[in-house]
Amino acid sequence: MINLEPLAAKAAQGMVIPTQAKDSFNLINKALMVLAEQGLFAFGLFLNSRKEREDPLARQIHTGISWLLVEASLAAAPQPGQQIADYYKALTETRAAEQPAQALQRLILTKQVVETALTYGRYQAKSLI
Protein backbone atom coordinates (compact mmCIF):
# COMPACT_ATOMS: atom_id res chain seq x y z
CA MET A 1 0.00 0.00 0.00
CA ILE A 2 1.29 3.46 -0.94
CA ASN A 3 0.66 6.58 1.16
CA LEU A 4 -0.37 9.04 -1.55
CA GLU A 5 -0.50 12.18 0.59
CA PRO A 6 3.28 12.74 0.87
CA LEU A 7 3.61 12.07 -2.86
CA ALA A 8 0.90 14.65 -3.58
CA ALA A 9 2.66 17.16 -1.31
CA LYS A 10 5.98 16.62 -3.10
CA ALA A 11 4.32 16.99 -6.50
CA ALA A 12 2.67 20.22 -5.32
CA GLN A 13 6.01 21.72 -4.34
CA GLY A 14 7.36 20.99 -7.80
CA MET A 15 4.45 22.51 -9.71
CA VAL A 16 4.91 26.06 -8.39
CA ILE A 17 7.45 28.45 -9.88
CA PRO A 18 8.44 30.60 -6.86
CA THR A 19 9.17 33.73 -8.91
CA GLN A 20 5.71 33.43 -10.50
CA ALA A 21 3.76 32.36 -7.43
CA LYS A 22 0.70 34.51 -8.15
CA ASP A 23 0.45 33.29 -11.75
CA SER A 24 1.04 29.71 -10.55
CA PHE A 25 -1.76 30.13 -8.00
CA ASN A 26 -4.19 31.42 -10.64
CA LEU A 27 -3.38 28.70 -13.16
CA ILE A 28 -3.54 25.91 -10.57
CA ASN A 29 -6.89 27.27 -9.38
CA LYS A 30 -8.27 27.28 -12.94
CA ALA A 31 -6.87 23.80 -13.63
CA LEU A 32 -8.45 22.48 -10.43
CA MET A 33 -11.85 23.88 -11.46
CA VAL A 34 -11.57 22.29 -14.92
CA LEU A 35 -10.60 18.94 -13.38
CA ALA A 36 -13.44 19.02 -10.85
CA GLU A 37 -16.11 20.05 -13.36
CA GLN A 38 -15.00 18.28 -16.53
CA GLY A 39 -12.55 15.49 -15.67
CA LEU A 40 -9.02 14.36 -16.45
CA PHE A 41 -9.11 14.70 -20.22
CA ALA A 42 -10.46 18.28 -20.01
CA PHE A 43 -7.73 19.02 -17.46
CA GLY A 44 -5.13 17.82 -19.97
CA LEU A 45 -6.72 19.88 -22.76
CA PHE A 46 -6.72 22.94 -20.51
CA LEU A 47 -3.00 22.57 -19.73
CA ASN A 48 -2.25 21.89 -23.39
CA SER A 49 -4.09 25.05 -24.46
CA ARG A 50 -2.01 27.43 -22.34
CA LYS A 51 0.16 29.62 -24.52
CA GLU A 52 3.04 32.07 -24.20
CA ARG A 53 3.12 33.48 -20.66
CA GLU A 54 1.32 30.54 -19.01
CA ASP A 55 3.07 27.75 -20.96
CA PRO A 56 5.99 27.22 -18.52
CA LEU A 57 3.53 27.16 -15.62
CA ALA A 58 1.30 24.60 -17.36
CA ARG A 59 4.31 22.41 -18.12
CA GLN A 60 5.40 22.67 -14.50
CA ILE A 61 1.95 21.50 -13.35
CA HIS A 62 1.98 18.65 -15.88
CA THR A 63 5.47 17.58 -14.80
CA GLY A 64 4.44 17.48 -11.13
CA ILE A 65 1.20 15.60 -11.81
CA SER A 66 2.72 13.08 -14.22
CA TRP A 67 5.55 12.40 -11.72
CA LEU A 68 2.92 11.79 -9.02
CA LEU A 69 0.91 9.41 -11.19
CA VAL A 70 4.02 7.40 -12.09
CA GLU A 71 5.11 7.21 -8.43
CA ALA A 72 1.60 6.12 -7.41
CA SER A 73 1.61 3.44 -10.16
CA LEU A 74 -1.49 4.99 -11.71
CA ALA A 75 0.13 5.83 -15.05
CA ALA A 76 3.19 5.33 -17.18
CA ALA A 77 5.67 8.14 -17.74
CA PRO A 78 4.83 10.52 -20.59
CA GLN A 79 6.41 9.57 -23.90
CA PRO A 80 8.90 12.04 -25.42
CA GLY A 81 7.01 14.46 -27.67
CA GLN A 82 3.61 13.31 -26.38
CA GLN A 83 1.03 16.08 -26.17
CA ILE A 84 -0.18 16.84 -22.66
CA ALA A 85 -3.81 16.24 -23.67
CA ASP A 86 -2.95 12.82 -25.13
CA TYR A 87 -1.31 11.77 -21.86
CA TYR A 88 -4.47 12.51 -19.87
CA LYS A 89 -6.75 10.99 -22.53
CA ALA A 90 -4.84 7.72 -22.19
CA LEU A 91 -5.58 7.74 -18.46
CA THR A 92 -9.31 7.63 -19.17
CA GLU A 93 -9.12 4.54 -21.37
CA THR A 94 -9.58 0.97 -20.17
CA ARG A 95 -6.29 -0.92 -20.14
CA ALA A 96 -5.84 -4.33 -21.75
CA ALA A 97 -6.05 -6.39 -18.55
CA GLU A 98 -8.75 -4.28 -16.87
CA GLN A 99 -12.43 -4.87 -16.47
CA PRO A 100 -14.59 -1.74 -16.95
CA ALA A 101 -15.28 -1.53 -13.19
CA GLN A 102 -11.54 -1.67 -12.44
CA ALA A 103 -10.88 1.06 -14.99
CA LEU A 104 -13.52 3.25 -13.37
CA GLN A 105 -12.01 2.69 -9.91
CA ARG A 106 -8.56 3.62 -11.22
CA LEU A 107 -9.94 6.70 -12.96
CA ILE A 108 -11.73 7.91 -9.82
CA LEU A 109 -8.63 7.36 -7.68
CA THR A 110 -6.47 9.13 -10.27
CA LYS A 111 -8.79 12.13 -10.31
CA GLN A 112 -8.84 12.30 -6.50
CA VAL A 113 -5.04 12.14 -6.29
CA VAL A 114 -4.66 14.87 -8.91
CA GLU A 115 -7.21 17.04 -7.07
CA THR A 116 -5.29 16.60 -3.83
CA ALA A 117 -1.99 17.56 -5.45
CA LEU A 118 -3.52 20.61 -7.12
CA THR A 119 -5.08 21.70 -3.84
CA TYR A 120 -1.71 21.39 -2.13
CA GLY A 121 -0.12 23.25 -5.06
CA ARG A 122 -2.60 26.07 -4.63
CA TYR A 123 -1.68 26.34 -0.94
CA GLN A 124 2.03 26.18 -1.80
CA ALA A 125 1.68 29.01 -4.31
CA LYS A 126 -0.42 31.10 -1.91
CA SER A 127 2.24 30.76 0.77
CA LEU A 128 4.78 32.33 -1.63
CA ILE A 129 2.68 35.33 -2.66
Side-chain angles (χ1 to χ4, degrees), residues 4-105:
L4 297 174
E5 191 165 343
L7 293 177
K10 186 173 181 180
Q13 288 177 327
M15 70 176 68
V16 176
I17 298 174
T19 58
Q20 295 177 299
K22 186 173 183 175
D23 291 334
S24 293
F25 175 82
N26 290 334
L27 189 61
I28 290 169
N29 214 23
K30 290 175 188 176
L32 184 57
M33 287 189 302
V34 169
L35 177 66
E37 293 177 12
Q38 303 296 320
L40 277 169
F41 180 53
F43 168 75
L45 284 172
F46 174 78
L47 291 180
N48 206 54
S49 71
R50 302 297 92 193
K51 299 294 180 209
E52 297 171 20
R53 186 172 64 98
E54 292 181 324
D55 185 60
L57 302 172
R59 293 200 180 284
Q60 199 75 12
I61 292 169
H62 171 62
T63 299
I65 295 299
S66 61
W67 173 86
L68 169 63
L69 296 177
V70 169
E71 290 297 309
S73 300
L74 292 169
Q79 299 298 317
Q82 183 180 28
Q83 291 288 318
I84 294 173
D86 293 336
Y87 179 77
Y88 292 98
K89 183 176 185 261
L91 295 175
T92 66
E93 297 169 351
T94 303
R95 295 177 182 165
E98 278 182 329
Q99 296 296 320
Q102 292 170 318
L104 181 59
Q105 285 178 325

